[in-house]
Amino acid sequence: MKYEIRGRTEAGAPTILLSAGLGGAGSYWQPQLDALAPQLRVVLYDQRGTGRNREPLPEGYSIAHMVDDVIGILDEAEIGRCHFMGHALGGLVGLELARRCPERLDRLVLVNAWDRLDTHTARCFAVRQRLLDAGGAEAYVQAQPLFLYPAAWLSEHAEWVAQEEAHGVRHFQGRDTLLKRIAALRAFDVSSQLGDIQTSTLVVATRDDVLVPWTASQRLAQGLPNAHLHLFDHGGHASNITDPAAFNSVVTDFLYL
């Protein structure tokens, strides 16, 4: 697994590993780097099957496989413990890591994540898959911003969105990979085990997220013994991009930076 380290590079520096959502790209976290890098060693990576780690995924690919990759990165970089921040699918990776290897984690930040897939989110993924089947990568990527960003923000950032769409088509992870990754998040369910996860956790959600209802984060925070829920009123599914100043402030406060 290829990865990169930003910010502090000295051995033993406090560290955070960032895990993206279904797109899988480490670059998703660009708006957070200025806030995190001055005080932390920041580990970025593209999830297996995407970006610089693009390769065919095995049958039965799961969130557990994704956690194996994270553990491999930590071992390769000789990082014993770290903070972990995951967005949506990346949050599921964080939950499974906290369940399996709590000794590897200091603090956990879950952004628009869930303990089991909500019926509304499942409907959204079904629609996106039909778009992929009917219109190919271009149709899938063109629809993606509708699930990520609020309408007013999309209107104000039309040029940026167009550039992201073009980039998304050029670097599309491939139908087989995408469907295996969607199947992995569909199958994930730790709802009966939340009470066993003791890691100090910040759960972040946005009331106007059209992909993952904020109530999924509420359920997470209620089920985790050491969790705090922070709700933004606006920002959509990707509030770390639409309002990075507010998002970064909440995260750095939680990490005591």
Side-chain angles (χ1 to χ4, degrees):
M1 288 289 290
K2 298 180 177 67
Y3 63 93
E4 60 181 305
I5 294 179
R6 302 281 190 91
R8 297 176 61 178
T9 58
E10 68 271 25
T15 300
I16 187 167
L17 188 145
L18 306 180
S19 189
L22 187 58
S27 60
Y28 175 79
W29 299 105
Q30 185 65 38
Q32 280 60 66
L33 293 182
D34 285 347
L36 298 174
Q39 300 186 63
L40 296 174
R41 178 169 48 171
V42 181
V43 181
L44 298 170
Y45 76 108
D46 298 333
Q47 293 167 359
R48 190 176 298 276
T50 74
R52 293 188 299 163
N53 289 310
R54 185 166 180 172
E55 62 179 66
L57 299 178
E59 296 301 322
Y61 190 67
S62 68
I63 300 298
H65 287 103
M66 301 182 200
V67 171
D68 291 341
D69 287 336
V70 167
I71 293 172
I73 290 171
L74 294 177
D75 289 345
E76 172 69 21
E78 299 183 342
I79 297 169
R81 291 174 63 90
C82 68
H83 303 306
F84 183 102
M85 181 159 65
H87 177 256
L89 180 148
L92 312 189
V93 177
L95 279 167
E96 179 65 8
L97 180 63
R99 189 190 68 81
R100 278 174 47 185
C101 303
E103 72 279 0
R104 305 302 296 264
L105 289 176
D106 288 321
R107 290 179 170 245
L108 178 63
V109 181
L110 305 174
V111 186
N112 300 321
W114 56 86
D115 58 345
R116 64 179 185 275
L117 193 67
D118 185 88
T119 55
H120 169 76
T121 308
R123 178 184 292 271
C124 290
F125 281 123
V127 169
R128 295 170 77 180
Q129 184 171 334
R130 292 187 67 180
L131 281 169
L132 178 64
D133 292 339
E138 288 191 13
Y140 178 89
V141 172
Q142 186 176 27
Q144 184 165 283
L146 303 177
F147 296 98
L148 295 181
Y149 310 115
W153 191 92
L154 284 170
S155 178
E156 294 168 1
H157 297 82
E159 182 176 348
W160 181 88
V161 173
Q163 293 173 355
E164 285 296 296
E165 285 181 13
H167 181 272
V169 172
R170 288 195 306 271
H171 299 278
F172 186 64
Q173 58 190 262
R175 182 180 185 277
D176 183 71
T177 292
L178 180 61
L179 294 184
K180 286 178 178 178
R181 285 163 55 74
I182 291 175
L185 65 82
R186 283 181 177 275
F188 183 77
D189 185 346
V190 291
S191 56
S192 65
Q193 302 167 64
L194 288 183
D196 299 329
I197 298 174
Q198 299 294 324
T199 304
S200 180
T201 303
L202 171 66
V203 180
V204 181
T206 314
R207 292 185 184 275
D208 65 351
D209 185 345
V210 299
L211 180 59
V212 181
W214 68 267
T215 49
S217 292
Q218 182 184 52
R219 186 171 64 242
L220 260 184
Q222 290 173 343
L224 292 166
N226 295 304
H228 167 71
L229 174 64
H230 185 94
L231 278 176
F232 292 109
D233 287 331
H234 306 288
H237 187 62
S239 59
N240 64 300
I241 293 176
T242 58
D243 193 356
F247 179 91
N248 293 344
S249 178
V250 169
V251 170
T252 55
D253 283 351
F254 174 70
L255 299 176
Y256 299 114
L257 300 181

